[in-house]
Amino acid sequence: MITLYVLGSGSRGNCCAVESEGMALLIDAGFSAREVERRAEAAGLDLGQVAGIVLTHEHGDHACGAPRLARRLQVPVLTAPGTWRHLATTMLDAEHRPLGLCSRVELGPFTIEACATSHDAAEPLAVVVRGSEGASVGVAYDLGRPTTAVRYLLRNLTAIVLEANHDEVQLRTSEYPPVVQRRIAGSGGHLSNRAAAELLVELHHPGLRAVVLAHLSQQCNTAAEARAAVAPALRRAGFRGALHVADQDRPLQPILIVQRAGLQLGLAL
Ligand SMILES: [Zn+2]
Ligand SMILES: [Zn+2]
């Protein structure tokens, strides 16, 4: 069993955590250390259990709290070598454990796998964390487009945290200058609601029990729109699990991810 904590997600900060067997991993730390501590406490996550901080990439909304948290918690930072090179001068004396293609890192009860994503960062990753009893959680955001590698990494998971960044019409009619619109919609940018729905339908399988839509744009999306774009498509595909939408400003209720002898559940506590 894994408990998934979504402490917040959006362009002003991203931080999730998975907890199992008394150990936890942070996945991104895109809020200040103090804010991560505040949100963890609000969500009931004991940061004393954290055994490592996984960073998907170096952008501030994913990594700004990592140096201080790594030092305070005395835990390693797991990230791609290119991301680490970018962050190394800020990382004080933190230990680095490389994550990358075809590598599998074991930490406590967790096995962590990663693949490259299409995004305008040094060496951005999508990550999957598996618990010792088979439950699994994938986290993929800041995706310009869903590459074959991302589709392969995210297959057969119990829970998926996936970007649903913008409504395409809202983006086109937004006040963003055309060059910014092109960057957001381009292959180094962010996944739209429609693209997220298509990818989730493709990834759906009977064991998928929880989906969290994440990294919603404040200007070009709402939770209701993201849900409306994804929920009917997932339902038609046969999804009977729980669909959540991450919030920028507050943690979600912890999400229990259970896989037991062929029975997989993803319940909101
Ligand atoms: Zn980014
Ligand atoms: Zn981001």
Side-chain angles (χ1 to χ4, degrees):
M1 181 184 93
I2 291 178
T3 306
L4 169 64
Y5 296 84
V6 181
L7 298 185
S9 181
S11 56
R12 288 184 288 111
N14 294 273
C15 184
C16 297
V18 290
E19 187 271 330
S20 184
E21 300 176 36
M23 289 181 86
L25 282 180
L26 286 182
I27 302 172
D28 282 342
F31 301 103
S32 70
R34 179 184 289 242
E35 181 64 12
V36 171
E37 287 163 358
R38 195 184 68 74
R39 290 179 184 231
E41 192 180 341
L45 169 68
D46 176 5
L47 287 181
Q49 296 182 323
V50 170
I53 302 172
V54 176
L55 296 181
T56 58
H57 62 297
E58 73 277 12
H59 289 163
D61 59 317
H62 297 265
C64 71
R68 190 157 288 180
L69 279 166
R71 168 168 271 200
R72 277 195 201 164
L73 301 172
Q74 292 288 302
V75 294
V77 174
L78 295 80
T79 197
T83 304
W84 181 256
R85 278 195 293 279
H86 211 90
L87 290 170
T89 53
T90 68
M91 278 297 180
L92 311 169
D93 51 359
E95 177 197 346
H96 176 226
R97 291 189 65 178
L99 272 183
L101 302 178
C102 310
S103 68
R104 203 176 268 224
V105 174
E106 315 259 340
L107 195 61
F110 302 111
T111 305
I112 304 133
E113 295 167 66
C115 79
T117 59
S118 175
H119 185 56
D120 56 0
E123 196 176 353
L125 299 175
V127 298
V128 163
V129 180
R130 294 176 204 282
S132 57
E133 291 162 4
S136 51
V137 179
V139 176
Y141 39 39
D142 294 52
L143 296 173
R145 56 190 169 81
T147 58
T148 305
V150 168
R151 293 178 150 94
Y152 186 77
L153 182 76
L154 298 183
R155 75 205 187 288
N156 290 327
L157 299 180
T158 326
I160 300 176
V161 179
L162 183 69
E163 173 167 62
N165 180 257
H166 57 273
D167 173 83
E168 290 168 2
V169 174
Q170 275 200 52
L171 178 63
R172 275 200 303 275
T173 55
S174 70
E175 290 178 356
Y176 284 130
V179 63
V180 176
Q181 290 185 22
R182 277 198 296 276
R183 192 192 82 72
I184 293 171
S187 63
H190 293 276
L191 212 60
S192 70
N193 292 344
R194 185 183 57 78
E198 285 174 7
L199 179 58
L200 286 165
V201 166
E202 185 184 324
L203 293 171
H204 178 264
H205 66 105
L208 178 64
R209 299 306 308 161
V211 170
V212 181
L213 303 179
H215 215 302
L216 271 65
S217 162
Q218 303 263 296
Q219 283 77 28
C220 306
N221 210 356
T222 63
E225 276 168 309
R227 187 181 284 277
V230 169
L234 260 181
R235 218 173 12 249
R236 280 196 299 277
F239 179 65
R240 297 291 175 267
L243 177 63
H244 307 267
V245 182
D247 197 297
Q248 176 72 89
D249 297 318
R250 59 192 65 79
L252 297 184
Q253 289 287 312
I255 300 165
L256 203 56
I257 312 293
V258 181
Q259 175 173 0
R260 250 188 237 127
L263 174 70
Q264 301 180 34
L265 299 170
L267 305 171
L269 288 176

